[in-house]
């Protein structure tokens, strides 16, 4: 399949093209029904001759070209209607009835505050052009009305206020929120790319519109990406502040699979300056070695790194409800556990040469001993709760009486 992407250097185009390349090159095997041969990248600096060639050979067309931040409102018409006309006329010239996707906007509904939107009017004109083309030629046309598009590579101060908020927060720049209660419907770029892949497979999602709301309808005139998220500006900014502070607090917010928070965090990270990509960690250091907290979570405990110097024993304590998992990643050591009130000792010889997870059981006093005379013992430790110095649930007791 030969695929033409117009607006290939834009936010959506770049993400789509790079993911199409992964399908073409066999690096993404999740879509076995999509076979990509050539990807034709058309953008503002491409020539009419290239468009002519691409329209002659394309088996599917993604029309992502458009204007959304012009200096002159007349550029809306030229970018969102004029080029669409050129594209469709070029396809007709070559009698190419390949399916054509149009990237439109919910502003084309002209509902509510979009009623007099120059951008919405230009998008609506583009939609009508595509529907007329489908009626005239019989070609399959997929008209998508997108809400706010966000994600990695989204240009701040251009594509989206969310991109601006992410960029400014990551770079310690001020942000301005006029109305914190304003709610946005957000479509993240990876969910959009998944929908574009669905379209390539011929099972795009159809809908009708009730105002700006997409209503699923298998026979609907329009298409939509079914996975979107709604959030107020206040909540978006609140999340970004937590992401910004995480290297200091070490507190990782809850980011469940598929959640808005998980996707927003990924977007935020894409704006980090180089100076924040590598972060120093501060640990407790003494003559025995060191203990450094890495990540804390409110619902899944914390992760730490423990370093024990040669011959050193650490631990010799027990917990009521706290429990831990130790994984030695470097060195040679011994982990011992004894149930309180019992003389029986469980012993596990561990080494970085064979990774094993050893569970520190509640009600068992435990230790970890570096058996080497020359090398440090490095252990990855997970605890089921964040350490609370006011309620440590940690009680000193030797595994074996000294």
């Amino acid at each position: 399949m030969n695929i033409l992407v117009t607006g290939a250097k834009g936010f959506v185009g770049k993400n789509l093209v790079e993911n199409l390349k992964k399908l073409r090159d066999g690096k993404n095997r999740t879509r076995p029904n999509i076979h990509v041969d050539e990807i034709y990248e058309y953008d503002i600096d491409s020539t009419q001759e290239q468009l002519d060639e691409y329209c002659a050979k394309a088996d599917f067309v993604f029309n992502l070209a458009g204007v959304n931040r012009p200096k002159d409102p007349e550029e809306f018409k030229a970018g969102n209607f004029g080029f669409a006309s050129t594209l469709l006329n070029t396809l007709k010239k070559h009698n190419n009835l390949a399916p054509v996707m149009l990237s439109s906007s919910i502003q084309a509904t002209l509902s509510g505050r979009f009623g007099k939107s120059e951008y919405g009017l230009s998008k609506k004109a583009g939609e009508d052009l595509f529907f007329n083309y489908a009626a005239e030629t019989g070609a399959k046309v997929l008209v998508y009305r997108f809400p706010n598009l966000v994600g990695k590579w989204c240009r701040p101060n251009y594509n989206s206020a969310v991109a601006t908020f992410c960029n400014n927060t990551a770079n310690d720049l001020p942000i301005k929120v006029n109305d914190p209660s304003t709610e946005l419907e957000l479509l993240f770029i990876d969910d959009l790319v998944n929908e574009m892949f669905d379209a390539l497979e011929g099972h795009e999602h159809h809908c009708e519109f009730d105002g700006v709301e997409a209503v699923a309808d298998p026979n609907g005139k329009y298409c939509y990406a079914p996975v979107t998220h709604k959030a107020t500006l206040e909540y978006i900014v609140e999340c970004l502040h937590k992401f910004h502070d995480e290297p200091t607090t070490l507190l990782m917010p809850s980011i469940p699979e598929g959640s808005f928070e998980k996707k927003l965090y990924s977007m935020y990270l894409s704006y980090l300056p180089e100076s924040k990509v590598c972060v120093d960690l501060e640990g407790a250091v003494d003559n025995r070695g060191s203990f450094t907290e890495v990540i804390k979570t409110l619902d899944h405990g914390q992760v730490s790194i423990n370093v024990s110097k040669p011959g050193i024993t650490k631990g010799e304590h027990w917990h009521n409800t706290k429990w831990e998992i130790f994984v030695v990643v470097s060195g040679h050591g011994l982990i011992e556990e004894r149930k309180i009130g019992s003389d029986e000792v469980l012993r596990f010889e561990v080494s970085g040469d064979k990774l094993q997870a050893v569970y520190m059981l509640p009600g068992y006093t435990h230790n970890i001993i570096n058996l080497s005379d020359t090398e440090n013992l490095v252990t990855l430790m997970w605890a089921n709760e964040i350490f609370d110095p006011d309620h440590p649930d940690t009680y000193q007791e030797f595994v074996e009486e000294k």
Side-chain angles (χ1 to χ4, degrees):
M1 178 186 290
N2 298 327
I3 300 172
L4 168 57
V5 180
T6 72
K9 293 182 180 179
F11 164 50
V12 177
K14 181 180 179 181
N15 276 276
L16 177 60
V17 166
E18 291 304 318
N19 280 279
L20 286 171
K21 289 178 181 177
K22 299 303 174 285
L23 289 176
R24 180 195 63 192
D25 300 339
K27 296 178 180 179
N28 179 352
R29 298 185 176 88
T30 64
R31 299 279 184 153
N33 295 326
I34 301 177
H35 304 281
V36 179
D37 297 311
E38 297 290 337
I39 304 169
Y40 303 129
E41 301 178 46
Y42 181 90
D43 210 89
I44 193 169
D45 55 357
S46 302
T47 65
Q48 178 60 42
E49 289 74 22
Q50 287 175 307
L51 182 63
D52 204 59
E53 176 190 353
Y54 299 160
C55 285
K57 298 178 179 179
D59 299 306
F60 197 105
V61 179
F62 288 102
N63 182 36
L64 307 176
V67 175
N68 62 357
R69 290 291 188 274
K71 295 180 180 179
D72 185 339
E74 285 298 313
E75 294 179 41
F76 278 136
K77 187 177 295 183
N80 298 328
F81 178 83
F83 175 74
S85 180
T86 300
L87 171 67
L88 297 179
N89 285 335
T90 308
L91 288 169
K92 284 194 287 187
K93 172 184 173 182
H94 293 284
N95 296 312
N96 187 342
L97 301 182
V100 186
M101 172 267 179
L102 171 65
S103 173
S104 188
S105 166
I106 57 170
Q107 292 196 36
T109 62
L110 303 179
S111 296
R113 60 191 178 95
F114 302 134
K116 296 181 180 180
S117 164
E118 291 287 345
Y119 178 68
L121 288 168
S122 67
K123 284 294 190 180
K124 181 65 168 62
E127 291 180 358
D128 293 341
L129 190 67
F130 269 67
F131 287 130
N132 291 336
Y133 170 78
E136 177 186 349
T137 65
K140 183 177 181 179
V141 166
L142 307 176
V143 175
Y144 281 85
R145 286 178 167 175
F146 294 133
N148 297 276
L149 301 179
V150 293
K152 66 183 185 300
W153 307 334
C154 189
R155 286 172 57 185
N157 304 306
Y158 181 80
N159 287 129
S160 162
V162 178
T164 303
F165 290 172
C166 286
N167 175 76
N168 288 16
T169 303
N171 290 277
D172 299 313
L173 299 172
I175 59 177
K176 181 179 180 181
V177 180
N178 293 323
D179 183 359
S181 66
T182 298
E183 184 179 70
L184 301 181
E185 182 180 9
L186 303 172
L187 171 55
F188 283 89
I189 191 62
D190 294 338
D191 294 321
L192 171 53
V193 169
N194 281 333
E195 174 60 23
M196 297 299 93
F197 286 176
D198 287 345
L200 282 174
E201 292 178 331
H203 51 265
E204 67 280 351
H205 294 83
H206 285 266
C207 71
E208 291 292 349
F209 278 86
D210 180 5
V212 297
E213 298 292 330
V215 180
D217 183 342
N219 300 311
K221 180 179 181 180
Y222 298 94
C223 296
Y224 77 117
V227 180
T228 63
H229 301 267
K230 291 184 178 180
T232 63
L233 294 178
E234 180 179 34
Y235 184 66
I236 292 169
V237 172
E238 177 186 325
C239 288
L240 293 177
H241 285 159
K242 289 180 181 178
F243 304 159
H244 173 275
D245 294 344
E246 185 276 326
T248 301
T249 65
L250 300 182
L251 187 60
M252 181 65 64
S254 181
I255 48 174
E257 181 62 30
S259 68
F260 166 75
E261 293 79 7
K262 180 180 180 181
K263 297 172 186 179
L264 183 65
Y265 206 157
S266 294
M267 179 181 177
Y268 165 79
L269 290 175
S270 70
Y271 295 90
L272 282 183
E274 181 181 355
S275 60
K276 292 188 177 182
V277 175
C278 181
V279 180
D280 292 337
L281 296 174
E282 296 183 4
V285 181
D286 58 25
N287 58 0
R288 302 174 304 156
S290 64
F291 181 81
T292 306
E293 297 174 322
V294 180
I295 291 289
K296 300 178 181 179
T297 71
L298 293 177
D299 48 1
H300 289 95
Q302 70 176 53
V303 176
S304 307
I305 298 292
N306 182 78
V307 178
S308 300
K309 291 184 178 180
I312 291 296
T313 298
K314 286 189 174 184
E316 305 288 20
H317 59 234
W318 63 278
H319 316 289
N320 282 303
T321 57
K322 181 188 296 184
W323 56 283
E324 302 158 300
I325 299 175
F326 291 0
V327 180
V328 168
V329 296
S330 179
H332 179 210
L334 177 68
I335 295 174
E336 298 180 322
E337 301 185 56
R338 177 178 59 81
K339 187 176 183 178
I340 297 300
S342 168
D343 295 328
E344 181 181 357
V345 177
L346 310 179
R347 292 183 174 87
F348 306 94
E349 191 168 344
V350 288
S351 167
D353 295 331
K354 181 182 179 181
L355 297 184
Q356 295 176 297
V358 183
Y359 288 70
M360 303 300 108
L361 308 177
Y364 281 68
T365 188
H366 52 271
N367 62 29
I368 182 165
I369 305 167
N370 188 346
L371 297 178
S372 172
D373 294 327
T374 59
E375 296 182 359
N376 286 341
L377 182 69
V378 182
T379 307
L380 173 69
M381 296 182 172
W382 174 85
N384 72 320
E385 61 186 44
I386 294 176
F387 178 72
D388 181 355
D390 294 327
H391 301 89
D393 187 18
T394 301
Y395 307 97
Q396 196 72 30
E397 183 165 337
F398 290 109
V399 174
E400 295 185 291
E401 292 299 328
K402 303 299 181 181

